[in-house]
C-alpha cells in the first residue's frame, strides 16, 4: 500500500510539471533577457529578468490596436449572439421533443464542420462585400461557431424554467412577450450569463476565421502568429501571455460549468 | 401536399406565430452563414482549378495528384490515430489518479485543467519554444545526458509529426480526462467492494468493472476528439508550417498562399466528407440520446 502511495505521488508530480511547464516557459521568455534564451543551453530557472518586452509593446502603442480590436470583436460577438440566441433557444425549448431534438442535434453538428471549408466562401464573399479586415465581418464569422454553442447552453437553461409559471403569468393577463421578459428571462439569467461569457471567450481566442478575414488589422491571436513567423520569441511570448490571461482567469472562475459537451468542438488543435 | 394538410400547415403556423418569429433570426443566420457557405464551398470544389467549367472534377484530380495533398492526408490520419490513442491512455491514467483520494487532489485537478485555459494559438507558440533546436526539450535531454548534439525536431517525417501529437496531447488530454472522470464517477462503488471481497486485485477490478462500464464514455471521447483531430489547424501551422501540411492547413495554403480558392474548396470538401463519416460512426456507436447531455 505504501509503495502504491509513493508511486501515485511521483505520478502526480510528473504530470503536474508536464502541464505547467509550457505555460511557465511562455511567461519566463516574456520577462527574460535574450542571453538566457538564445544560447546553446537555455536556462530553466528565471535569471536575468527584464520588463523591456512588456514595456516595448505598451510604449510603442503597438499593442492597443490589436487589443481593442479583439475586445470589440469579442464583446460584439457575445452581444449579437445573445440577441439572436435568447429568443431562438427559448422558442426551441418550448417545441415538442420530437422537433426540438433534431434541431439541437443539427446545431451541435454545425460546430463540427471544417472551419477552413466555411471560412473560404465567407472570405470570398466578404472581399466582394468589403467586409474584409472589418470588425463587423469578424463578428459575423465568429458568430458562426459561437451561436450554436450559446443556443445549446440556453436551450438547456430554458428547459429548466417551469411552463406552469408562464401559464400563471398569462392567466394574470401578461402578454407572451411580457411573460418572456418578466418571468422567463430573469429565471434563466444565470444560464444566460454563462452563455455570454463562453461566447466572449470563444471569440477572444479565435484564430482560424481571423486569419482568413484579416489583412492588416490583426487581433491578439494573430499578433502571436505574426511574431512567431518573424522569429521574435520575446514578443511572441509577451503577446501569448497577454492573450491567455483573460482566458485562464475566466476558465478557472467558470470551472464548474466546464462540461465536456460545451468544450466539444471548442478545443481543437 | 394535399389541400387539407396544407391548410393544417397554415393553421399550425398561425398558432405558433410567436415561436416562429423568435426562431427566425437564428434560422436565417445558420442558413445564411453556415449551411450556405458549406454548400458554396462544395459547389466551388466542382469548378476547374481556375474557376468556371462547373461541374468538373478538375480540382479534385489536380489535388489528388499533388504530393503535398497526399502528405496532408497521411499526416492528418497519423496525427489523429497516434494522438487519439495516446490521449485516451493518458486521459485514463489522469482520470484514475483523480478518482483516488490524496493530499493536494484539488490543486492537482486545477493544474490539470490549465491547458483548457490556454488558447490553441498560444499553446502552439509555447510548443514551438519547447521543440526548437535550441529549445527546452533539447536542453533537458542534454542535461539528463541522453543526447550530446541537439536534435532538429523539424526534419524527417515522424519527428515533426510526433511534436504535433505531443502538442495536441497537452492541449486536449484534460478534456478526455474530464469525460472519463464523469464516467468513473457514475460507476457504483459497491461493485468494487464486492469484487474486493471476492478477491479481485486492482488490475482485475479495472479490467472487468471499470473498462466495460466506461465504454460509452470512451466512445464519446474518441469520436468527439477524432472529429477535432481531423480539423487540426493552428498547431501544425505554427509548429511546422509548410513542412508538415494537414488537411486544414493544406486548404489554407492553397487559398491564402497559392491564391486558388477552387483547389482549397476541394481539400475542404474532402475534409468535410471525413468528418461526416466520423459523425455517422458516432451516431451509430453512441446513439443520438447521448449527444446533447
Amino acid at each position: 500500500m505504501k509503495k502504491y502511495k509513493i508511486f501515485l505521488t511521483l505520478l502526480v508530480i510528473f504530470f503536474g510539471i508536464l502541464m505547467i511547464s509550457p505555460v511557465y516557459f511562455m511567461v519566463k521568455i516574456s520577462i527574460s533577457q535574450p542571453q538566457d534564451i538564445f544560447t546553446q543551453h537555455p536556462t530553466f530557472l528565471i535569471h536575468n529578468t527584464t520588463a523591456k518586452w512588456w514595456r516595448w509593446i505598451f510604449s510603442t502603442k503597438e499593442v492597443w490596436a490589436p487589443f481593442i480590436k479583439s475586445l470589440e470583436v469579442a464583446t460584439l460577438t457575445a452581444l449579437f449572439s445573445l440577441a439572436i440566441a435568447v429568443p431562438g433557444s427559448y422558442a426551441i425549448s418550448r417545441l415538442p421533443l420530437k422537433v426540438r431534438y433534431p434541431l439541437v442535434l443539427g446545431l451541435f453538428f454545425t460546430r463540427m464542420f471544417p472551419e477552413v471549408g466555411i471560412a473560404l466562401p465567407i472570405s470570398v464573399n466578404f472581399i466582394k462585400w468589403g467586409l474584409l479586415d472589418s470588425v463587423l465581418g469578424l463578428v459575423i464569422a465568429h458568430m458562426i461557431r459561437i451561436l450554436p454553442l450559446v443556443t445549446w447552453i440556453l436551450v438547456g437553461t430554458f428547459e429548466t424554467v417551469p411552463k406552469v409559471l408562464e401559464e400563471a403569468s398569462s392567466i394574470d393577463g401578461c402578454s407572451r412577450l411580457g411573460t418572456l421578459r418578466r418571468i422567463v428571462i430573469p429565471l434563466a439569467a444565470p444560464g444566460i450569463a454563462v452563455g455570454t461569457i463562453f461566447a466572449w471567450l470563444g471569440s477572444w481566442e479565435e484564430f482560424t476565421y481571423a486569419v482568413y478575414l484579416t489583412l492588416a488589422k490583426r487581433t491578439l491571436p494573430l499578433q502571436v502568429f505574426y511574431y512567431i513567423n518573424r522569429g521574435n520569441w520575446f514578443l511572441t511570448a509577451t503577446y501569448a501571455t497577454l492573450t491567455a490571461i483573460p482566458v485562464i482567469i475566466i476558465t478557472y472562475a467558470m470551472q464548474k460549468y466546464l462540461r465536456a459537451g460545451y468544450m466539444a468542438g471548442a478545443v481543437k488543435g | 401536399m394535399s389541400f387539407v394538410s396544407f391548410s393544417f400547415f397554415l393553421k399550425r403556423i398561425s398558432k405558433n406565430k410567436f415561436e416562429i418569429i423568435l426562431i427566425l433570426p437564428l434560422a436565417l443566420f445558420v442558413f445564411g452563414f453556415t449551411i450556405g457557405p458549406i454548400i458554396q464551398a462544395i459547389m466551388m470544389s466542382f469548378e476547374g482549378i481556375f474557376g468556371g467549367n462547373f461541374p468538373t472534377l478538375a480540382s479534385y484530380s489536380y489535388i489528388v495528384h499533388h504530393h503535398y495533398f497526399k502528405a496532408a492526408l497521411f499526416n492528418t490520419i497519423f496525427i489523429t490515430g497516434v494522438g487519439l490513442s495516446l490521449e485516451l491512455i493518458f486521459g485514463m491514467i489522469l482520470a484514475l489518479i483523480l478518482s483516488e483520494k490524496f493530499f493536494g487532489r484539488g490543486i492537482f485537478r486545477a493544474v490539470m485543467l490549465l491547458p483548457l485555459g490556454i488558447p490553441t494559438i498560444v499553446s502552439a507558440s509555447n510548443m514551438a519554444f519547447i521543440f526548437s533546436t535550441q529549445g527546452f526539450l533539447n536542453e533537458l535531454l542534454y542535461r539528463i545526458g541522453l543526447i550530446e548534439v541537439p536534435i532538429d525536431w523539424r526534419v524527417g517525417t515522424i519527428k515533426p509529426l510526433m511534436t504535433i501529437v505531443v502538442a495536441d496531447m497537452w492541449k486536449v488530454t484534460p478534456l478526455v480526462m474530464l469525460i472519463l472522470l464523469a464516467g468513473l464517477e457514475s460507476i457504483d462503488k459497491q461493485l468494487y467492494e464486492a469484487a474486493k471481497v471476492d478477491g479481485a486485485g486492482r488490475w482485475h477490478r479495472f479490467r472487468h468493472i471499470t473498462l466495460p462500464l466506461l465504454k460509452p464514455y470512451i466512445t464519446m471521447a474518441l469520436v468527439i476528439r477524432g472529429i477535432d483531430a481531423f480539423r487540426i489547424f493552428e498547431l501544425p501551422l505554427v509548429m511546422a508550417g509548410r513542412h508538415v501540411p494537414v488537411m486544414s492547413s493544406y486548404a489554407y495554403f492553397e487559398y491564402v498562399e497559392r491564391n486558388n480558392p477552387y483547389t482549397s474548396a476541394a481539400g475542404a470538401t474532402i475534409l468535410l466528407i471525413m468528418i461526416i463519416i466520423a459523425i455517422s460512426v458516432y451516431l451509430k456507436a453512441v446513439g443520438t440520446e447521448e449527444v446533447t447531455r
Side-chain angles (χ1 to χ4, degrees):
Chain A
M1 206 58 213
K2 199 153 176 238
K3 237 192 226 159
Y4 180 74
K5 270 263 136 64
I6 293 170
F7 175 65
L8 189 71
T9 313
L10 286 177
L11 266 186
V12 165
I13 294 170
F14 173 74
F15 281 116
I17 292 173
L18 219 57
M19 285 303 182
I20 290 178
S21 56
V23 181
Y24 164 76
F25 288 135
M26 165 182 82
V27 178
K28 173 192 147 73
I29 291 172
S30 82
I31 55 168
S32 281
Q33 298 278 12
Q35 70 256 33
D36 282 2
I37 307 298
F38 282 140
T39 98
Q40 280 302 313
H41 299 292
T43 58
F44 287 122
L45 298 177
I46 297 169
H47 293 286
N48 303 305
T49 58
T50 173
K52 71 176 168 194
W53 316 116
W54 285 92
R55 224 178 304 135
W56 191 86
I57 64 166
F58 283 105
S59 68
T60 57
K61 302 202 168 63
E62 189 206 72
V63 68
W64 293 116
F67 184 80
I68 289 169
K69 184 169 182 189
S70 280
L71 203 62
E72 271 178 352
V73 171
T75 309
L76 287 177
T77 303
L79 291 179
F80 287 178
S81 302
L82 220 55
I84 295 184
V86 167
S89 49
Y90 167 73
I92 293 175
S93 77
R94 291 298 179 260
L95 289 173
L97 194 68
K98 226 169 44 193
V99 191
R100 191 199 319 160
Y101 201 76
L103 265 181
V104 174
L105 201 62
L107 273 176
F108 182 78
F109 285 138
T110 65
R111 286 179 62 73
M112 296 184 168
F113 287 165
E115 278 173 334
V116 289
I118 306 178
L120 169 78
I122 292 278
S123 164
V124 170
N125 296 342
F126 279 13
I127 292 173
K128 280 186 238 156
W129 303 343
L131 280 174
L132 219 59
D133 236 6
S134 69
V135 170
L136 179 66
L138 200 52
V139 168
I140 293 174
H142 282 177
M143 282 168 72
I144 296 170
R145 54 178 285 175
I146 283 157
L147 204 51
L149 175 73
V150 179
T151 306
W152 196 46
I153 294 175
L154 290 184
V155 169
T157 309
F158 284 127
E159 276 172 352
T160 63
V161 177
K163 235 176 166 169
V164 191
L165 290 178
E166 288 175 62
E167 281 152 15
S169 149
S170 89
I171 289 169
D172 290 347
C174 212
S175 70
R176 291 206 63 184
L177 201 63
T179 309
L180 186 57
R181 206 160 54 87
R182 296 206 185 87
I183 312 282
V184 182
I185 290 180
L187 282 173
I192 295 176
V194 172
T196 316
I197 293 168
F198 275 119
W200 190 89
L201 204 60
S203 168
W204 174 266
E205 61 176 14
E206 207 282 333
F207 175 77
T208 310
Y209 287 114
V211 82
Y212 267 84
L213 299 178
T214 306
L215 299 172
K217 295 174 187 148
R218 294 186 288 270
T219 58
L220 283 178
L222 290 182
Q223 205 71 3
V224 176
F225 186 54
Y226 175 73
Y227 276 114
I228 195 130
N229 279 341
R230 297 190 57 174
N232 189 329
W233 281 27
F234 301 100
L235 292 181
T236 306
T238 311
Y239 273 111
T241 310
L242 190 65
T243 312
I245 288 171
V247 189
I248 294 178
I249 294 173
I250 295 175
T251 306
Y252 278 113
M254 307 283 290
Q255 231 195 90
K256 65 173 175 168
Y257 300 104
L258 277 182
R259 285 194 317 185
Y262 285 3
M263 307 297 290
V267 181
K268 62 176 187 68
Chain B
M1 208 181 286
S2 71
F3 178 75
V4 177
S5 69
F6 185 68
S7 71
F8 179 71
F9 182 68
L10 281 183
K11 218 179 262 167
R12 274 199 90 149
I13 286 191
S14 64
K15 202 180 133 213
N16 293 317
K17 216 188 294 162
F18 187 65
E19 274 85 1
I20 288 166
I21 291 169
L22 292 184
I23 249 176
L24 206 59
L26 179 65
L28 287 179
F29 188 92
V30 172
F31 277 102
F33 289 106
T34 308
I35 313 284
I38 282 279
I39 292 169
Q40 197 183 342
I42 296 171
M43 304 278 271
M44 279 167 75
S45 75
F46 289 107
E47 292 190 33
I49 51 173
F50 302 111
N53 296 336
F54 180 85
T56 163
L57 287 173
S59 292
Y60 287 97
S61 78
Y62 171 80
I63 66 168
V64 294
H65 291 107
H66 198 182
H67 70 95
Y68 206 61
F69 172 80
K70 288 178 204 159
L73 191 62
F74 170 79
N75 292 341
T76 307
I77 292 170
F78 182 94
I79 292 171
T80 305
V82 177
L84 224 55
S85 332
L86 291 174
E87 282 155 19
L88 205 61
I89 294 169
F90 281 94
M92 181 69 90
I93 294 174
L94 290 174
L96 286 173
I97 292 177
L98 272 176
S99 65
E100 302 268 324
K101 284 190 179 60
F102 58 91
F103 180 71
R105 184 177 169 273
I107 298 169
F108 184 63
R109 190 188 136 95
V111 168
M112 288 304 116
L113 293 183
L114 181 63
L116 295 179
I118 302 295
T120 313
I121 180 76
V122 171
S123 74
S125 71
N126 293 348
M127 291 296 166
F129 299 147
I130 290 172
F131 287 110
S132 142
T133 315
Q134 296 171 14
F136 297 102
L137 180 63
N138 272 334
E139 178 61 13
L140 179 70
L141 295 176
Y142 175 80
R143 287 200 194 175
I144 299 172
L146 284 175
I147 58 167
E148 286 290 318
V149 191
I151 298 171
D152 190 349
W153 299 100
R154 285 175 155 233
V155 298
T157 319
I158 302 302
K159 256 189 297 178
L161 282 176
M162 282 315 290
T163 64
I164 293 165
V165 166
V166 170
D168 192 42
M169 278 173 71
W170 182 80
K171 176 79 180 127
V172 302
T173 305
L175 184 66
V176 178
M177 176 192 88
L178 280 184
I179 298 175
L180 296 181
L181 197 58
L184 285 178
E185 278 160 6
S186 74
I187 298 175
D188 190 352
K189 298 285 168 293
Q190 287 181 342
L191 285 174
Y192 292 111
E193 295 302 321
K196 231 177 187 169
V197 172
D198 289 343
R202 208 175 274 280
W203 166 251
H204 276 267
R205 273 176 278 156
F206 175 75
R207 174 71 190 80
H208 296 289
I209 299 175
T210 312
L211 223 42
L213 287 173
L214 270 188
K215 215 180 133 209
Y217 293 88
I218 294 174
T219 324
M220 181 175 161
L222 270 181
V223 185
I224 286 181
R225 276 299 312 140
I227 290 166
D228 282 348
F230 278 154
R231 306 189 303 169
I232 192 166
F233 181 57
E234 286 107 310
L235 293 174
L237 184 68
V238 168
M239 293 173 67
R242 270 168 229 83
H243 301 294
V244 185
V246 291
M247 293 299 290
S248 286
S249 63
Y250 177 81
Y252 170 78
F253 289 131
E254 282 297 308
Y255 177 58
V256 173
E257 302 210 329
R258 297 164 59 105
N259 249 321
N260 196 336
Y262 305 102
T263 48
S264 173
T269 305
I270 294 176
L271 180 57
L272 177 68
I273 294 167
M274 290 164 68
I275 288 174
I276 288 175
I277 293 172
I279 291 178
S280 339
V281 171
Y282 181 44
L283 285 179
K284 214 164 170 182
V286 186
T288 52
E289 303 300 313
E290 295 283 332
V291 180
T292 47
R293 279 201 323 188

